[in-house]
Amino acid sequence: MEGFSEFGKALVELASLSTVGHVAWATLLGIFVGSLPGLTATMGVALLTTLTYTLDRDTAILVLICMYVGAIYGGSRSAILLNIPGTPASAATSLDGYPLARQGRAGYAMALATAGSALGTLVGIVLLVLLAPPLAEAAFRFGSFEFFWLALFGVIISGQLTAGTSPLKGYIAGILGLMVAMIGSDDIHAHIRFNMGIPDLNGGIGLIPAMVGAFGFAEVLTVMWRAKAKVVDSRGHDDPALPRPRDLWRYKFTIARSGVIGTLVGIIPGVGEDIGAWASYAAARRTSKERDDFGKGSTEGLTAAETGNSAVVPGSLIPALTLAVPGSAPAAVLIAALFIHGIRPGPMIMIEQPTFIYSVAAMLTFATIAIAVFGLSLTRVFIQVLRVPRELLMPVVFTLCVIGPYALTQRVFDIWVMVFFGLAGFVLRQMKYPMAPLVLGIILGDLLDKSLRRGLIINNGDVAPFFTRPISLGFAVVIALTIAFSVPVVRNLLGRILRRGRPGAPTGAGT
């Protein structure tokens, strides 16, 4: 209970008029960013990071967290009204949200999405307070060997879970990210690698320009490439704008389960909110008495998806704060922001900043209250925002994509990096390659490289400790099994073995 006592103190310390003001504008901005197709949570956090240099530490982190929470929630607006997820996290929301809107229940669909998002985030906050401190203590047992496998595990799992039907494409994207991370001076001997004769590459590829390009400029090109969508008009229908308490009570187990699933998905490095939504949606469909309604306007399916994706937000901050390994792409930008503002995430955080984890939980709580208030009171306003022509919006977004990376270092070269990753990201998206493993490879490549080289130096080139230390061996086995089970031949063979071992199962092809 000590954790909740510290959490309560953090809430009291943050409670002020200035905090309320910052929470209000940052969350509202995040909702607008998330609701507009082409603007993602990652891009919103990345661009806002470049504007927080003059703010004090706690205020800067507060507005970035509010942007993150608001943008993930805001994606449900366009998913429901346009059938286009404002952020990838809201893809599952559109399956039932858009049919509800076409039935004239858009307002109620958005009210349920608001309630699900708020409750999911609260479940995640509770688990953040419970799990983050012991995980930080456990991370003290991690050495170079364990961090090498942890980085590789993040890239492999991200590639496996975000690539849809082709894990190979996820693995390729992750490897491309690791290759990009190898460019520039290494951290141990300061040797320049793979700069291709370009002096500007001596310091490596900047994370912010790469992420703004891959998630921002690439999204602008993707939005302009596809057909224009129309907002559903549900005027004239009996459409309540507040969730019915009896519906929330009826789905209490779905909400609790989706909140836990989303948080646990968030803890897995680099997986992200969209997987939390899909996993929660699938679990709800398996156990629901109304499973035939899923995909046709199910209020339970909508609630599960929104609860799951929002619970990933606090979940993704658990490894980000305790291991310095992001649970999602926006969490990766938050890690960079923490370093910029003098906070070093990782196992030492409970020693250097013992109350900071509880402050983050308090910030998430304020952001959750804000999305509930704005989501239920400004439904009509968000509908009008979605009517902004993309021909006017996308040039503004592109301008921000240019300003953000340049403001960070004042180097024109970073603008070209952003453009390169935007064009490359657009081409890869057209070929169905996921962006999350690529960006996570860039983020974790440095950790993987340093940990591997340090481990080899410590043991005079002996690789045995990478496979004999218990935690390292556990990671190695999980990675090997993950890759093996992604091969169709292995997966089908295992399925046949399991079916044969089941009592009463058919044993022959002609049975």
Side-chain angles (χ1 to χ4, degrees), residues 126-169:
V126 171
L127 293 177
L128 169 64
V129 172
L130 290 174
L131 297 179
L135 183 59
E137 293 179 12
F140 277 116
R141 295 196 290 269
F142 279 39
S144 297
F145 315 102
E146 288 78 15
F147 275 112
F148 165 77
W149 287 115
L150 178 64
L152 186 60
F153 172 78
V155 175
I156 293 296
I157 293 297
S158 178
Q160 169 79 17
L161 295 180
T162 61
T165 58
S166 177
L168 180 60
K169 288 187 175 182

mmCIF file of all heavy atoms in Angstrom, residues 126-169:
data_model
loop_
_atom_site.group_PDB
_atom_site.id
_atom_site.type_symbol
_atom_site.label_atom_id
_atom_site.label_comp_id
_atom_site.label_asym_id
_atom_site.label_seq_id
_atom_site.Cartn_x
_atom_site.Cartn_y
_atom_site.Cartn_z
ATOM 1 N N VAL A 126 -3.432 1.831 -12.138
ATOM 2 C CA VAL A 126 -3.320 0.983 -10.940
ATOM 3 C C VAL A 126 -2.187 -0.027 -11.110
ATOM 4 O O VAL A 126 -1.352 -0.229 -10.209
ATOM 5 C CB VAL A 126 -4.656 0.265 -10.665
ATOM 6 C CG1 VAL A 126 -4.491 -0.779 -9.569
ATOM 7 C CG2 VAL A 126 -5.729 1.277 -10.277
ATOM 8 N N LEU A 127 -2.119 -0.664 -12.287
ATOM 9 C CA LEU A 127 -1.064 -1.655 -12.524
ATOM 10 C C LEU A 127 0.304 -0.990 -12.627
ATOM 11 O O LEU A 127 1.317 -1.587 -12.246
ATOM 12 C CB LEU A 127 -1.382 -2.448 -13.792
ATOM 13 C CG LEU A 127 -2.619 -3.354 -13.694
ATOM 14 C CD1 LEU A 127 -2.903 -4.032 -15.020
ATOM 15 C CD2 LEU A 127 -2.427 -4.405 -12.612
ATOM 16 N N LEU A 128 0.356 0.246 -13.140
ATOM 17 C CA LEU A 128 1.630 0.983 -13.186
ATOM 18 C C LEU A 128 2.165 1.199 -11.780
ATOM 19 O O LEU A 128 3.359 0.965 -11.506
ATOM 20 C CB LEU A 128 1.417 2.328 -13.894
ATOM 21 C CG LEU A 128 2.558 3.360 -13.813
ATOM 22 C CD1 LEU A 128 3.801 2.832 -14.524
ATOM 23 C CD2 LEU A 128 2.131 4.695 -14.403
ATOM 24 N N VAL A 129 1.299 1.626 -10.861
ATOM 25 C CA VAL A 129 1.718 1.862 -9.476
ATOM 26 C C VAL A 129 2.159 0.558 -8.811
ATOM 27 O O VAL A 129 3.122 0.533 -8.035
ATOM 28 C CB VAL A 129 0.570 2.523 -8.677
ATOM 29 C CG1 VAL A 129 0.912 2.608 -7.205
ATOM 30 C CG2 VAL A 129 0.267 3.913 -9.237
ATOM 31 N N LEU A 130 1.478 -0.546 -9.154
ATOM 32 C CA LEU A 130 1.794 -1.824 -8.525
ATOM 33 C C LEU A 130 3.046 -2.484 -9.100
ATOM 34 O O LEU A 130 3.849 -3.075 -8.368
ATOM 35 C CB LEU A 130 0.610 -2.785 -8.669
ATOM 36 C CG LEU A 130 -0.646 -2.478 -7.856
ATOM 37 C CD1 LEU A 130 -1.767 -3.445 -8.227
ATOM 38 C CD2 LEU A 130 -0.349 -2.554 -6.358
ATOM 39 N N LEU A 131 3.226 -2.400 -10.433
ATOM 40 C CA LEU A 131 4.250 -3.205 -11.093
ATOM 41 C C LEU A 131 5.571 -2.477 -11.326
ATOM 42 O O LEU A 131 6.628 -3.123 -11.340
ATOM 43 C CB LEU A 131 3.716 -3.705 -12.448
ATOM 44 C CG LEU A 131 2.502 -4.636 -12.409
ATOM 45 C CD1 LEU A 131 2.089 -5.025 -13.818
ATOM 46 C CD2 LEU A 131 2.810 -5.867 -11.587
ATOM 47 N N ALA A 132 5.534 -1.159 -11.550
ATOM 48 C CA ALA A 132 6.751 -0.451 -11.941
ATOM 49 C C ALA A 132 7.850 -0.505 -10.871
ATOM 50 O O ALA A 132 9.007 -0.813 -11.196
ATOM 51 C CB ALA A 132 6.429 0.993 -12.322
ATOM 52 N N PRO A 133 7.563 -0.210 -9.584
ATOM 53 C CA PRO A 133 8.647 -0.244 -8.593
ATOM 54 C C PRO A 133 9.333 -1.614 -8.469
ATOM 55 O O PRO A 133 10.565 -1.689 -8.494
ATOM 56 C CB PRO A 133 7.949 0.178 -7.292
ATOM 57 C CG PRO A 133 6.780 1.007 -7.752
ATOM 58 C CD PRO A 133 6.319 0.338 -8.998
ATOM 59 N N PRO A 134 8.571 -2.750 -8.347
ATOM 60 C CA PRO A 134 9.278 -4.032 -8.271
ATOM 61 C C PRO A 134 10.027 -4.385 -9.544
ATOM 62 O O PRO A 134 11.081 -5.041 -9.484
ATOM 63 C CB PRO A 134 8.161 -5.051 -7.986
ATOM 64 C CG PRO A 134 6.890 -4.362 -8.296
ATOM 65 C CD PRO A 134 7.128 -2.913 -8.093
ATOM 66 N N LEU A 135 9.510 -3.956 -10.706
ATOM 67 C CA LEU A 135 10.230 -4.224 -11.957
ATOM 68 C C LEU A 135 11.549 -3.461 -11.995
ATOM 69 O O LEU A 135 12.572 -3.977 -12.474
ATOM 70 C CB LEU A 135 9.365 -3.842 -13.161
ATOM 71 C CG LEU A 135 9.970 -4.127 -14.540
ATOM 72 C CD1 LEU A 135 10.281 -5.609 -14.703
ATOM 73 C CD2 LEU A 135 9.028 -3.666 -15.649
ATOM 74 N N ALA A 136 11.547 -2.228 -11.486
ATOM 75 C CA ALA A 136 12.791 -1.453 -11.426
ATOM 76 C C ALA A 136 13.821 -2.147 -10.527
ATOM 77 O O ALA A 136 15.017 -2.180 -10.849
ATOM 78 C CB ALA A 136 12.511 -0.041 -10.916
ATOM 79 N N GLU A 137 13.358 -2.712 -9.417
ATOM 80 C CA GLU A 137 14.274 -3.441 -8.538
ATOM 81 C C GLU A 137 14.799 -4.705 -9.217
ATOM 82 O O GLU A 137 15.975 -5.050 -9.114
ATOM 83 C CB GLU A 137 13.569 -3.791 -7.233
ATOM 84 C CG GLU A 137 13.215 -2.576 -6.375
ATOM 85 C CD GLU A 137 12.498 -2.970 -5.087
ATOM 86 O OE1 GLU A 137 12.490 -4.184 -4.773
ATOM 87 O OE2 GLU A 137 11.950 -2.080 -4.419
ATOM 88 N N ALA A 138 13.922 -5.421 -9.934
ATOM 89 C CA ALA A 138 14.345 -6.633 -10.631
ATOM 90 C C ALA A 138 15.360 -6.318 -11.714
ATOM 91 O O ALA A 138 16.254 -7.126 -12.011
ATOM 92 C CB ALA A 138 13.134 -7.343 -11.226
ATOM 93 N N ALA A 139 15.238 -5.123 -12.315
ATOM 94 C CA ALA A 139 16.153 -4.749 -13.394
ATOM 95 C C ALA A 139 17.579 -4.571 -12.920
ATOM 96 O O ALA A 139 18.509 -4.552 -13.739
ATOM 97 C CB ALA A 139 15.658 -3.456 -14.063
ATOM 98 N N PHE A 140 17.798 -4.457 -11.601
ATOM 99 C CA PHE A 140 19.162 -4.365 -11.088
ATOM 100 C C PHE A 140 19.946 -5.645 -11.385
ATOM 101 O O PHE A 140 21.175 -5.635 -11.391
ATOM 102 C CB PHE A 140 19.159 -4.115 -9.573
ATOM 103 C CG PHE A 140 18.972 -2.676 -9.221
ATOM 104 C CD1 PHE A 140 17.854 -2.255 -8.520
ATOM 105 C CD2 PHE A 140 19.911 -1.728 -9.590
ATOM 106 C CE1 PHE A 140 17.676 -0.915 -8.194
ATOM 107 C CE2 PHE A 140 19.745 -0.389 -9.274
ATOM 108 C CZ PHE A 140 18.627 0.023 -8.569
ATOM 109 N N ARG A 141 19.252 -6.766 -11.611
ATOM 110 C CA ARG A 141 19.932 -8.020 -11.919
ATOM 111 C C ARG A 141 20.304 -8.121 -13.388
ATOM 112 O O ARG A 141 20.901 -9.100 -13.816
ATOM 113 C CB ARG A 141 19.048 -9.202 -11.516
ATOM 114 C CG ARG A 141 18.807 -9.300 -10.010
ATOM 115 C CD ARG A 141 18.277 -10.671 -9.621
ATOM 116 N NE ARG A 141 16.917 -10.880 -10.096
ATOM 117 C CZ ARG A 141 15.837 -10.576 -9.383
ATOM 118 N NH1 ARG A 141 15.958 -10.031 -8.180
ATOM 119 N NH2 ARG A 141 14.635 -10.809 -9.864
ATOM 120 N N PHE A 142 19.912 -7.124 -14.175
ATOM 121 C CA PHE A 142 20.224 -7.132 -15.605
ATOM 122 C C PHE A 142 21.646 -6.610 -15.826
ATOM 123 O O PHE A 142 22.024 -5.561 -15.306
ATOM 124 C CB PHE A 142 19.245 -6.247 -16.380
ATOM 125 C CG PHE A 142 17.935 -6.907 -16.690
ATOM 126 C CD1 PHE A 142 17.319 -7.728 -15.768
ATOM 127 C CD2 PHE A 142 17.310 -6.714 -17.903
ATOM 128 C CE1 PHE A 142 16.106 -8.340 -16.033
ATOM 129 C CE2 PHE A 142 16.097 -7.309 -18.192
ATOM 130 C CZ PHE A 142 15.491 -8.128 -17.253
ATOM 131 N N GLY A 143 22.416 -7.365 -16.595
ATOM 132 C CA GLY A 143 23.727 -6.905 -17.027
ATOM 133 C C GLY A 143 23.730 -6.723 -18.532
ATOM 134 O O GLY A 143 22.671 -6.717 -19.178
ATOM 135 N N SER A 144 24.901 -6.573 -19.114
ATOM 136 C CA SER A 144 25.003 -6.386 -20.562
ATOM 137 C C SER A 144 24.378 -7.543 -21.320
ATOM 138 O O SER A 144 23.741 -7.345 -22.370
ATOM 139 C CB SER A 144 26.473 -6.236 -20.967
ATOM 140 O OG SER A 144 27.035 -5.093 -20.374
ATOM 141 N N PHE A 145 24.532 -8.761 -20.801
ATOM 142 C CA PHE A 145 24.006 -9.938 -21.488
ATOM 143 C C PHE A 145 22.482 -9.884 -21.558
ATOM 144 O O PHE A 145 21.874 -10.139 -22.607
ATOM 145 C CB PHE A 145 24.459 -11.209 -20.757
ATOM 146 C CG PHE A 145 25.912 -11.194 -20.371
ATOM 147 C CD1 PHE A 145 26.300 -10.926 -19.065
ATOM 148 C CD2 PHE A 145 26.893 -11.412 -21.322
ATOM 149 C CE1 PHE A 145 27.636 -10.899 -18.707
ATOM 150 C CE2 PHE A 145 28.233 -11.393 -20.974
ATOM 151 C CZ PHE A 145 28.600 -11.125 -19.668
ATOM 152 N N GLU A 146 21.855 -9.554 -20.429
ATOM 153 C CA GLU A 146 20.388 -9.500 -20.391
ATOM 154 C C GLU A 146 19.834 -8.350 -21.227
ATOM 155 O O GLU A 146 18.807 -8.506 -21.901
ATOM 156 C CB GLU A 146 19.903 -9.370 -18.942
ATOM 157 C CG GLU A 146 20.068 -10.619 -18.102
ATOM 158 C CD GLU A 146 21.499 -10.827 -17.611
ATOM 159 O OE1 GLU A 146 22.292 -9.863 -17.691
ATOM 160 O OE2 GLU A 146 21.824 -11.935 -17.153
ATOM 161 N N PHE A 147 20.507 -7.200 -21.202
ATOM 162 C CA PHE A 147 20.011 -6.065 -21.986
ATOM 163 C C PHE A 147 20.138 -6.325 -23.488
ATOM 164 O O PHE A 147 19.325 -5.837 -24.276
ATOM 165 C CB PHE A 147 20.738 -4.774 -21.593
ATOM 166 C CG PHE A 147 20.136 -4.092 -20.396
ATOM 167 C CD1 PHE A 147 20.817 -4.029 -19.199
ATOM 168 C CD2 PHE A 147 18.874 -3.530 -20.454
ATOM 169 C CE1 PHE A 147 20.262 -3.403 -18.086
ATOM 170 C CE2 PHE A 147 18.301 -2.905 -19.358
ATOM 171 C CZ PHE A 147 18.999 -2.849 -18.170
ATOM 172 N N PHE A 148 21.155 -7.096 -23.896
ATOM 173 C CA PHE A 148 21.266 -7.468 -25.317
ATOM 174 C C PHE A 148 20.037 -8.263 -25.746
ATOM 175 O O PHE A 148 19.391 -7.961 -26.759
ATOM 176 C CB PHE A 148 22.534 -8.297 -25.541
ATOM 177 C CG PHE A 148 22.542 -9.013 -26.862
ATOM 178 C CD1 PHE A 148 22.817 -8.327 -28.039
ATOM 179 C CD2 PHE A 148 22.244 -10.377 -26.941
ATOM 180 C CE1 PHE A 148 22.802 -8.984 -29.268
ATOM 181 C CE2 PHE A 148 22.229 -11.035 -28.163
ATOM 182 C CZ PHE A 148 22.512 -10.340 -29.328
ATOM 183 N N TRP A 149 19.697 -9.289 -24.961
ATOM 184 C CA TRP A 149 18.546 -10.116 -25.311
ATOM 185 C C TRP A 149 17.237 -9.345 -25.185
ATOM 186 O O TRP A 149 16.295 -9.566 -25.966
ATOM 187 C CB TRP A 149 18.503 -11.361 -24.427
ATOM 188 C CG TRP A 149 19.556 -12.372 -24.765
ATOM 189 C CD1 TRP A 149 20.601 -12.774 -23.986
ATOM 190 C CD2 TRP A 149 19.658 -13.124 -25.976
ATOM 191 N NE1 TRP A 149 21.356 -13.719 -24.639
ATOM 192 C CE2 TRP A 149 20.792 -13.957 -25.856
ATOM 193 C CE3 TRP A 149 18.908 -13.175 -27.144
ATOM 194 C CZ2 TRP A 149 21.187 -14.832 -26.877
ATOM 195 C CZ3 TRP A 149 19.295 -14.045 -28.161
ATOM 196 C CH2 TRP A 149 20.419 -14.862 -28.021
ATOM 197 N N LEU A 150 17.150 -8.429 -24.211
ATOM 198 C CA LEU A 150 15.937 -7.631 -24.055
ATOM 199 C C LEU A 150 15.702 -6.765 -25.291
ATOM 200 O O LEU A 150 14.575 -6.665 -25.792
ATOM 201 C CB LEU A 150 16.044 -6.743 -22.811
ATOM 202 C CG LEU A 150 14.855 -5.800 -22.550
ATOM 203 C CD1 LEU A 150 13.589 -6.600 -22.267
ATOM 204 C CD2 LEU A 150 15.158 -4.862 -21.392
ATOM 205 N N ALA A 151 16.771 -6.139 -25.802
ATOM 206 C CA ALA A 151 16.645 -5.308 -27.004
ATOM 207 C C ALA A 151 16.229 -6.155 -28.199
ATOM 208 O O ALA A 151 15.330 -5.777 -28.970
ATOM 209 C CB ALA A 151 17.966 -4.596 -27.276
ATOM 210 N N LEU A 152 16.865 -7.317 -28.358
ATOM 211 C CA LEU A 152 16.508 -8.191 -29.474
ATOM 212 C C LEU A 152 15.084 -8.717 -29.322
ATOM 213 O O LEU A 152 14.335 -8.813 -30.302
ATOM 214 C CB LEU A 152 17.506 -9.350 -29.547
ATOM 215 C CG LEU A 152 17.369 -10.287 -30.750
ATOM 216 C CD1 LEU A 152 17.539 -9.512 -32.056
ATOM 217 C CD2 LEU A 152 18.394 -11.418 -30.673
ATOM 218 N N PHE A 153 14.694 -9.037 -28.092
ATOM 219 C CA PHE A 153 13.335 -9.500 -27.811
ATOM 220 C C PHE A 153 12.308 -8.451 -28.225
ATOM 221 O O PHE A 153 11.279 -8.764 -28.836
ATOM 222 C CB PHE A 153 13.208 -9.822 -26.318
ATOM 223 C CG PHE A 153 11.808 -10.121 -25.860
ATOM 224 C CD1 PHE A 153 11.234 -11.358 -26.100
ATOM 225 C CD2 PHE A 153 11.068 -9.177 -25.170
ATOM 226 C CE1 PHE A 153 9.946 -11.645 -25.673
ATOM 227 C CE2 PHE A 153 9.781 -9.448 -24.738
ATOM 228 C CZ PHE A 153 9.222 -10.692 -24.994
ATOM 229 N N GLY A 154 12.573 -7.184 -27.901
ATOM 230 C CA GLY A 154 11.650 -6.115 -28.261
ATOM 231 C C GLY A 154 11.441 -6.013 -29.756
ATOM 232 O O GLY A 154 10.309 -5.897 -30.240
ATOM 233 N N VAL A 155 12.534 -6.078 -30.522
ATOM 234 C CA VAL A 155 12.426 -5.958 -31.977
ATOM 235 C C VAL A 155 11.691 -7.164 -32.566
ATOM 236 O O VAL A 155 10.821 -7.015 -33.437
ATOM 237 C CB VAL A 155 13.837 -5.822 -32.609
ATOM 238 C CG1 VAL A 155 13.744 -5.815 -34.134
ATOM 239 C CG2 VAL A 155 14.512 -4.544 -32.123
ATOM 240 N N ILE A 156 12.022 -8.380 -32.083
ATOM 241 C CA ILE A 156 11.409 -9.587 -32.621
ATOM 242 C C ILE A 156 9.914 -9.641 -32.304
ATOM 243 O O ILE A 156 9.076 -9.905 -33.186
ATOM 244 C CB ILE A 156 12.108 -10.844 -32.054
ATOM 245 C CG1 ILE A 156 13.548 -10.934 -32.573
ATOM 246 C CG2 ILE A 156 11.333 -12.113 -32.411
ATOM 247 C CD1 ILE A 156 13.662 -11.123 -34.060
ATOM 248 N N ILE A 157 9.553 -9.372 -31.050
ATOM 249 C CA ILE A 157 8.140 -9.425 -30.665
ATOM 250 C C ILE A 157 7.348 -8.351 -31.387
ATOM 251 O O ILE A 157 6.216 -8.571 -31.838
ATOM 252 C CB ILE A 157 8.000 -9.271 -29.139
ATOM 253 C CG1 ILE A 157 8.606 -10.482 -28.423
ATOM 254 C CG2 ILE A 157 6.540 -9.128 -28.748
ATOM 255 C CD1 ILE A 157 7.925 -11.799 -28.737
ATOM 256 N N SER A 158 7.932 -7.158 -31.516
ATOM 257 C CA SER A 158 7.255 -6.086 -32.237
ATOM 258 C C SER A 158 7.019 -6.491 -33.689
ATOM 259 O O SER A 158 5.931 -6.289 -34.238
ATOM 260 C CB SER A 158 8.082 -4.798 -32.173
ATOM 261 O OG SER A 158 7.463 -3.768 -32.903
ATOM 262 N N GLY A 159 8.037 -7.079 -34.312
ATOM 263 C CA GLY A 159 7.871 -7.539 -35.687
ATOM 264 C C GLY A 159 6.830 -8.628 -35.811
ATOM 265 O O GLY A 159 6.055 -8.670 -36.770
ATOM 266 N N GLN A 160 6.781 -9.520 -34.814
ATOM 267 C CA GLN A 160 5.829 -10.637 -34.834
ATOM 268 C C GLN A 160 4.395 -10.146 -34.704
ATOM 269 O O GLN A 160 3.502 -10.608 -35.427
ATOM 270 C CB GLN A 160 6.159 -11.583 -33.669
ATOM 271 C CG GLN A 160 5.115 -12.641 -33.397
ATOM 272 C CD GLN A 160 5.207 -13.807 -34.353
ATOM 273 O OE1 GLN A 160 6.223 -13.979 -35.001
ATOM 274 N NE2 GLN A 160 4.148 -14.592 -34.466
ATOM 275 N N LEU A 161 4.139 -9.209 -33.813
ATOM 276 C CA LEU A 161 2.768 -8.845 -33.466
ATOM 277 C C LEU A 161 2.194 -7.704 -34.294
ATOM 278 O O LEU A 161 0.982 -7.505 -34.289
ATOM 279 C CB LEU A 161 2.683 -8.481 -31.980
ATOM 280 C CG LEU A 161 2.978 -9.620 -31.001
ATOM 281 C CD1 LEU A 161 2.864 -9.118 -29.568
ATOM 282 C CD2 LEU A 161 2.057 -10.800 -31.229
ATOM 283 N N THR A 162 3.035 -6.932 -34.981
ATOM 284 C CA THR A 162 2.519 -5.772 -35.716
ATOM 285 C C THR A 162 2.495 -5.975 -37.218
ATOM 286 O O THR A 162 2.067 -5.091 -37.947
ATOM 287 C CB THR A 162 3.358 -4.511 -35.415
ATOM 288 O OG1 THR A 162 4.720 -4.741 -35.837
ATOM 289 C CG2 THR A 162 3.349 -4.190 -33.936
ATOM 290 N N ALA A 163 2.955 -7.136 -37.696
ATOM 291 C CA ALA A 163 3.088 -7.332 -39.135
ATOM 292 C C ALA A 163 1.882 -8.003 -39.773
ATOM 293 O O ALA A 163 1.930 -8.365 -40.937
ATOM 294 C CB ALA A 163 4.348 -8.158 -39.431
ATOM 295 N N GLY A 164 0.803 -8.205 -39.029
ATOM 296 C CA GLY A 164 -0.392 -8.806 -39.599
ATOM 297 C C GLY A 164 -0.160 -10.273 -39.940
ATOM 298 O O GLY A 164 0.209 -11.073 -39.088
ATOM 299 N N THR A 165 -0.360 -10.605 -41.204
ATOM 300 C CA THR A 165 -0.273 -12.013 -41.611
ATOM 301 C C THR A 165 1.139 -12.439 -41.990
ATOM 302 O O THR A 165 1.361 -13.612 -42.261
ATOM 303 C CB THR A 165 -1.201 -12.255 -42.823
ATOM 304 O OG1 THR A 165 -0.833 -11.378 -43.893
ATOM 305 C CG2 THR A 165 -2.651 -12.003 -42.436
ATOM 306 N N SER A 166 2.091 -11.537 -42.032
ATOM 307 C CA SER A 166 3.442 -11.881 -42.480
ATOM 308 C C SER A 166 4.479 -11.423 -41.457
ATOM 309 O O SER A 166 5.009 -10.313 -41.570
ATOM 310 C CB SER A 166 3.735 -11.249 -43.847
ATOM 311 O OG SER A 166 5.057 -11.528 -44.253
ATOM 312 N N PRO A 167 4.805 -12.262 -40.458
ATOM 313 C CA PRO A 167 5.835 -11.881 -39.482
ATOM 314 C C PRO A 167 7.176 -11.575 -40.125
ATOM 315 O O PRO A 167 7.946 -10.776 -39.601
ATOM 316 C CB PRO A 167 5.924 -13.109 -38.572
ATOM 317 C CG PRO A 167 4.603 -13.797 -38.715
ATOM 318 C CD PRO A 167 4.189 -13.565 -40.138
ATOM 319 N N LEU A 168 7.454 -12.209 -41.272
ATOM 320 C CA LEU A 168 8.738 -11.973 -41.950
ATOM 321 C C LEU A 168 8.912 -10.495 -42.277
ATOM 322 O O LEU A 168 10.010 -9.942 -42.146
ATOM 323 C CB LEU A 168 8.827 -12.819 -43.215
ATOM 324 C CG LEU A 168 10.124 -12.678 -44.035
ATOM 325 C CD1 LEU A 168 11.338 -13.070 -43.193
ATOM 326 C CD2 LEU A 168 10.047 -13.507 -45.308
ATOM 327 N N LYS A 169 7.824 -9.842 -42.712
ATOM 328 C CA LYS A 169 7.917 -8.414 -43.023
ATOM 329 C C LYS A 169 8.219 -7.603 -41.768
ATOM 330 O O LYS A 169 8.941 -6.610 -41.823
ATOM 331 C CB LYS A 169 6.614 -7.933 -43.671
ATOM 332 C CG LYS A 169 6.422 -8.440 -45.092
ATOM 333 C CD LYS A 169 5.216 -7.807 -45.753
ATOM 334 C CE LYS A 169 5.118 -8.246 -47.215
ATOM 335 N NZ LYS A 169 3.977 -7.615 -47.915
#
